[in-house]
Amino acid sequence: MTPRSRTNQLLYQAELLLDLPDSTDEHAEARRMAAEEGALALFELALQSLLREVTEHARLERHDWRELLGAEGAGIAELHRLRELAAQPASWLAWLIARLEALHASEGVARRGTGASAGLIAVGSGAALGEELRWCLAEAKAELAALRETSQEW
């Protein structure tokens, strides 16, 4: 499988997790949280794959997103573009990085409600996380085309 195919596959799989049907059993909230965090984890793998894909002309040894998107990352045009995007608080990449950091923290990123009335709020918050993740995936896919185009010029 090519890096491009792998990136596409991971993005598609993340979307599939977000599109799982809702349920009403006692595990519904845990299932929603698992789907959201699973989709986010797949999105992280897709980001890693994207970085490998758009930097393959540079033959980098490592493709960790924290390293490549950090201040000390390689001076490649695609990475510079992504660093600038990550610096914009309202961008999909800034949103994604913040959620990935939360995903790796002890608390995780998906939220569970406490009690019946808070449960309604938590479901709304959970739906918001899923919707934000859908938005982020769509924005990332739109950005993919431009990144791939500049990468292919090399």
Side-chain angles (χ1 to χ4, degrees), residues 11-38:
L11 291 170
Y12 175 67
Q13 290 173 341
E15 289 174 325
L16 287 177
L17 278 179
L18 292 175
D19 290 337
L20 289 175
D22 293 334
S23 63
T24 57
D25 66 4
E26 67 272 13
H27 304 290
E29 188 172 28
R31 191 174 292 111
R32 174 196 52 81
M33 292 170 62
E36 289 171 352
E37 290 203 353

Side-chain angles (χ1 to χ4, degrees), residues 11-133:
L11 291 170
Y12 175 67
Q13 290 173 341
E15 289 174 325
L16 287 177
L17 278 179
L18 292 175
D19 290 337
L20 289 175
D22 293 334
S23 63
T24 57
D25 66 4
E26 67 272 13
H27 304 290
E29 188 172 28
R31 191 174 292 111
R32 174 196 52 81
M33 292 170 62
E36 289 171 352
E37 290 203 353
L40 192 55
L42 283 169
F43 202 171
E44 181 176 25
L45 292 173
L47 177 61
Q48 200 88 1
S49 181
L50 170 64
L51 292 173
R52 182 181 319 279
E53 177 185 340
V54 300
T55 62
E56 65 185 342
H57 63 276
R59 293 185 168 75
L60 300 176
E61 290 182 26
R62 298 176 42 100
H63 296 92
D64 182 74
W65 65 266
R66 291 171 197 86
E67 190 177 307
L68 293 179
L69 297 179
E72 300 297 317
I76 299 171
E78 293 81 5
L79 295 179
H80 180 69
R81 179 179 179 156
L82 288 169
R83 280 187 209 104
E84 286 180 344
L85 191 61
Q88 299 171 16
S91 74
W92 68 268
L93 189 53
W95 183 92
L96 177 61
I97 289 170
R99 296 321 175 279
L100 291 177
E101 289 171 356
L103 180 68
H104 288 276
S106 299
E107 298 81 28
V109 70
R111 296 289 171 244
R112 176 183 299 274
T114 57
S117 62
L120 294 175
I121 295 169
V123 170
S125 299
L129 177 61
E131 288 306 311
E132 287 178 338
L133 193 47

